[in-house]
Every structure is written in C-alpha cells, then in structure tokens.
Amino acid sequence: MAALRVLLPRVRGPLRPPIHCSAWRPFASGAKFEYIIAEKRGKNNTVGLIQLNRPKALNALCNGLIEELNQALKTFQEDPAVGAIVLTGGEKAFAAGADIKEMQDLSFQDCYSRQLLNHWDYFTQVKKPVIAAVNGYALGGGCELAMMCDVIYAGEKAQFGQPEILIGTIPGAGGTQRLTRAVGKSLAMEMVLTGDRISAQDAKQAGLVSKIFPVETLVEEAIQCAERIASNSKIIVAMAKESVNAAFEMTLAEGNKLEKRLFYSTFATDDRKEGMTAFVEKRKANFRDQ
C-alpha cells in the first residue's frame, strides 16, 4: 500500500510512450481522464486496455486514480464488444503504492468513518477477466492491485513487494490475504514483515506470476492473451472465473458443489450447445454470448 519514494529513483518523462504496440483506438465512452489512459485494443476491439498514468508519482494510487479506474472498468464491463481487460502502468512502475500524502494526517476515526480503501473493492466485482501487465515496481497498493487481477504477466525487470511495515503500517487492500494465498505463508510473512521485494523470476517461481516477458513486448503479450479469452463465450468465461475464484473462499467440498452447479448451468446456454456441436462437426464455434 505504501509508496516508498525515498527508496525509488525519480522517473522523468511521460509514461505513455513505453507501450510498444500498434495504434491505439479511442475509448468507447469518450471519457477524458486525468490519471489513466483507457483504450479498446485487439483486431476487433475486444480488449479493454487501461494504463495508469501518473509518471511523476510512479503511478501512486490516489483516490482520483482509483475512481477513474473504477469508471473505466465499469464502462468495459458494460461494453458487449469487450471480452477481457488488460491493466498496465509504465516501464518504470506499474504502481509504486498508495498515495501516502493523502493518508499521512488521517486518524483512526477518519479511516473508519470514511471506510478508507473500500472503493478499491469494486475491482473484484468485475465479471470480465482482468490481466495485469506489470513492468517495474508493483509495491504496496500496486502489488495489491495486481493481485486483484485474474492473471499477472510480468516484465523481466518487475519487482513485487509489500513495504508498508517500513512506514509504520500494514497492507490495507488485501496484501496480507491475497499474497499469502498466492505464495504461501512463509514467503508472504517474510515480505510483509521485512518490506523486502521479490523479482519477477522469484514471483513466478512462487506462483504469484503466470508468465514473464521482455519489457518491450509485455503489454502486447497480455493483449494477445486477452484476445484469446475474448474469443470465447463471455457468459461461460464469467462462470469459469467465478468458479476459480471460489476456490479461495470455499472448502474443497463446497467449491466442487459450486463448480457442478455452474457446469450444469452451461447447459442452459446456446453457447454450450454451439461449442459442443462445433467440436463434433470439426469446425470453429460461433459463440453469440447467449
């Protein structure tokens, strides 16, 4: 959650240029954002791409940025053409943490009455898959934000950490919970209690990261994965995401029961029938999200 500015080098220059990929397409809503850039990508505009864009603050996650992120997520969630979303930052920083200047003078009463950080939870309500493309620092709130995504791709120079302990607090947006589920108690405890970072390679070995790519190709690789996901039935993809996420909330027996119910539910969809028919007929399925 914390952005340890004293430990990080200053980053100069605009954040947008480092994304090396084809021409950007306008955001469907026409919204103008201050802290993010939102675009539709992919051959058929099936991927929503959100780039955090506070370069001078290493993408520190201020309230305004989170509000804009939620707005973009909501727009992509409601867009029937979008099947998956990619979230990225810059080459130097995915996000170096929450904005400490906003928190510095808060009291317990302020945090409790305002339900501080609760608006971050909208991210977990999005039904469409979200892929984090992490280059550079993903620290504190940046690491927590990445862990809210369904898949994490990392650039080979990415670093992950929960350094809140070094400024006298603890993670507040799921860091102690999601990190422990992702990498196990021992490594999570070490990271949370020392504030130490881990490399992309260590994160992959621990199970936090799915794949590692060169810095310059990371975002395009994430978009390609999102396109493959978007080519499937959106309603079936949502069921699959719900079932996998349930594994972190339920016992094995409860999770298996939910999986069976969702599996049975697919037989109420036209897309399940189309998919199986196409398989038998040895042709590509034509899903209509019904």
Side-chain angles (χ1 to χ4, degrees):
M1 185 174 64
L4 301 183
R5 303 177 192 279
V6 295
L7 301 180
L8 301 177
R10 290 188 178 182
V11 177
R12 297 180 180 178
L15 193 62
R16 183 170 181 168
I19 293 188
H20 303 288
C21 42
S22 54
W24 292 55
R25 295 184 175 91
F27 188 43
S29 71
K32 294 182 179 179
F33 296 117
E34 181 178 358
Y35 303 115
I36 68 171
I37 300 169
E39 309 281 344
K40 291 174 70 172
R41 293 297 310 279
K43 295 179 181 178
N44 298 308
N45 284 355
T46 58
V47 177
L49 177 61
I50 303 172
Q51 182 188 9
L52 309 180
N53 190 34
R54 289 190 74 198
K56 293 182 180 180
L58 294 177
N59 287 338
L61 303 169
C62 63
N63 285 330
L65 186 151
I66 297 298
E67 289 171 359
E68 290 185 0
L69 175 59
N70 288 345
Q71 182 182 346
L73 288 169
K74 184 174 185 294
T75 299
F76 286 139
Q77 174 63 39
E78 295 174 351
D79 188 336
V82 172
I85 301 165
V86 172
L87 176 64
T88 192
E91 288 188 359
K92 295 292 185 181
F94 174 75
D99 195 324
I100 301 306
K101 291 182 179 180
E102 291 184 341
M103 299 182 181
Q104 182 179 358
D105 297 323
L106 296 180
S107 65
F108 163 76
Q109 290 85 348
D110 293 330
C111 295
Y112 190 82
S113 61
R114 298 178 190 176
Q115 297 185 314
L116 188 66
L117 302 184
N118 269 17
H119 59 318
W120 289 43
D121 293 341
Y122 176 77
F123 202 99
T124 62
Q125 299 172 26
V126 177
K127 293 185 178 181
K128 294 178 180 178
V130 183
I131 301 172
V134 178
N135 269 321
Y137 303 113
L139 305 178
C143 187
E144 290 171 312
L145 186 62
M147 290 189 292
M148 291 180 188
C149 297
D150 301 299
V151 178
I152 302 178
Y153 279 5
E156 50 197 4
K157 296 182 181 180
Q159 296 184 36
F160 298 84
Q162 297 291 162
E164 290 85 352
I165 198 77
L166 302 179
I167 59 169
T169 188
I170 70 170
T176 62
Q177 303 304 301
R178 292 189 178 92
L179 185 63
T180 303
R181 286 165 169 78
V183 306
K185 177 183 175 181
S186 182
L187 180 55
M189 191 71 79
E190 180 183 7
M191 292 173 66
V192 170
L193 296 185
T194 65
D196 289 349
R197 310 170 197 168
I198 60 173
S199 67
Q201 293 73 23
D202 288 339
K204 185 177 186 299
Q205 184 176 3
L208 180 62
V209 164
S210 175
K211 293 180 180 178
I212 299 175
F213 295 99
V215 171
E216 62 274 10
T217 64
L218 172 67
V219 174
E220 192 59 42
E221 292 285 354
I223 291 172
Q224 289 177 16
C225 177
E227 282 190 282
R228 293 196 299 273
I229 293 171
S231 69
N232 296 312
S233 165
K234 295 182 182 62
I235 188 171
I236 303 301
V237 165
M239 289 182 184
K241 172 175 173 173
E242 179 183 353
S243 189
V244 173
N245 282 335
F248 292 94
E249 307 290 342
M250 297 179 171
T251 65
L252 179 59
E254 292 170 338
N256 280 335
K257 288 180 181 178
L258 174 64
E259 181 185 83
K260 283 289 193 302
R261 288 195 295 268
L262 289 171
F263 169 65
Y264 298 155
S265 297
T266 66
F267 283 76
T269 69
D270 293 339
D271 283 346
R272 190 283 313 168
K273 183 176 181 180
E274 164 63 13
M276 290 188 177
T277 301
F279 177 82
V280 171
E281 296 178 352
K282 295 181 170 44
R283 61 175 174 82
K284 184 178 179 180
N286 181 24
F287 296 122
R288 300 182 181 277
D289 305 322
Q290 297 177 350

